[in-house]
Amino acid sequence: MPGKLALQVAAAVGHPGVAIVHGGWQIVDVGGGVMSSVEPWQGLPVLDVEAWLLWKPVFLGAMLLRRDWLERVGGFDRRFRQASDVDLVLRLVLMGGEAVWVRRAVVGYRQHDRNVSRNALEQVVECDAVLDGVFGRSAGLDGVRAIERQARYNNFVWSAWRLYHTECYSEMSSYLEQSLRLTSARQTETILDWVARFQAYGMEYGKQFDSALFGRLLRWTIV
């Protein structure tokens, strides 16, 4: 969007120690019409290690990263086709890279039938692998192990929504089953949490959540 680089460079200059300046974004349709505005700082006012690992608010288009940190972390891992951005940012954060928000939408994320991110199956498998690597490398970091279970639960539910969004319903059911094994909450509470999250994720993309369809699909998951 106009002024994106100037705004984020100014924030980087004002915070010389940070590795990442992050902003919000708009979901836009093929013609550029705004479908929704995503303001992640509303729920994550501070971008600390816990926030990154639990929620992974990664969208490279809305970020400005310092070159020295990119070089220090070694750039992208080319094994990943769909989750290389998540892997890069989490590795950088675990190395001590700090981040600040520019609390404004700085880019439009256009939705169309050829979005690479529509390959949800590959995306969710790679996100699992990224977390395997993250928690494998961070065994000695204070507090990281303590949030692994919640981070993986969050990732399974988000993955299930991505699969629901792309109509991969049987795979969605598998990811919900995996999330169910990671929570000590009652089953009813967990289902309500799934519904709330699916509704929130859908709103970010300007999509209506079909609760009736989801209820029917839950029969594959809850037996």
Side-chain angles (χ1 to χ4, degrees):
M1 293 183 178
K4 174 191 188 293
L5 290 179
L7 185 67
Q8 292 187 301
V9 168
V13 171
H15 299 84
V18 304
I20 303 169
V21 177
H22 204 353
W25 57 94
Q26 293 179 340
I27 302 295
V28 301
D29 61 23
V30 174
V34 177
M35 300 165 64
S36 67
S37 293
V38 183
E39 300 179 344
W41 57 83
Q42 299 289 358
L44 298 172
V46 178
L47 283 170
D48 55 15
V49 172
E50 182 173 315
W52 285 111
L53 292 181
L54 288 178
W55 301 105
K56 306 190 300 299
V58 177
F59 181 33
L60 285 188
M63 294 178 170
L64 182 73
L65 292 88
R66 290 190 188 275
R67 178 172 179 163
D68 60 339
W69 274 99
L70 282 174
E71 292 173 343
R72 194 182 311 179
V73 80
F76 291 105
D77 186 334
R78 296 189 180 185
R79 292 176 301 168
F80 298 117
R81 289 162 43 90
Q82 293 282 332
S84 59
D85 52 351
V86 176
D87 173 72
L88 172 74
V89 172
L90 294 187
R91 282 189 288 116
L92 189 155
V93 168
L94 288 172
M95 287 181 62
E98 297 181 354
V100 294
W101 286 115
V102 166
R103 299 185 180 224
R104 206 174 90 188
V106 296
V107 69
Y109 182 15
R110 193 184 308 275
Q111 303 298 296
H112 53 80
D113 60 5
R114 294 185 303 280
N115 283 117
V116 174
S117 62
R118 291 189 65 83
N119 190 344
L121 286 171
E122 185 176 32
Q123 186 178 42
V124 300
V125 168
E126 288 192 0
C127 280
D128 289 342
V130 167
L131 286 188
D132 288 342
V134 162
F135 288 110
R137 290 189 299 267
S138 60
L141 295 178
D142 292 343
V144 172
R145 274 291 176 207
I147 64 172
E148 179 178 2
R149 192 178 185 90
Q150 185 64 49
R152 290 189 182 274
Y153 170 84
N154 291 354
N155 183 63
F156 283 142
V157 179
W158 175 85
S159 295
W161 177 79
R162 289 291 304 148
L163 293 163
Y164 167 85
H165 179 56
T166 52
E167 301 182 3
C168 300
Y169 297 136
S170 61
E171 292 84 358
M172 176 210 76
S173 180
S174 174
Y175 273 83
L176 289 179
E177 287 175 356
Q178 292 180 78
S179 77
L180 194 60
R181 292 195 289 268
L182 287 175
T183 178
S184 58
R186 281 182 264 184
Q187 189 175 93
T188 301
E189 294 173 346
T190 302
I191 293 172
L192 290 174
D193 182 60
W194 294 345
V195 170
R197 292 183 187 227
F198 275 41
Q199 288 175 328
Y201 293 142
M203 286 177 61
E204 284 192 359
Y205 280 77
K207 302 289 185 181
Q208 290 292 324
F209 175 64
D210 188 339
S211 57
L213 170 62
F214 186 67
R216 293 194 297 271
L217 294 172
L218 280 185
R219 297 174 188 169
W220 297 4
T221 305
I222 307 300
V223 295

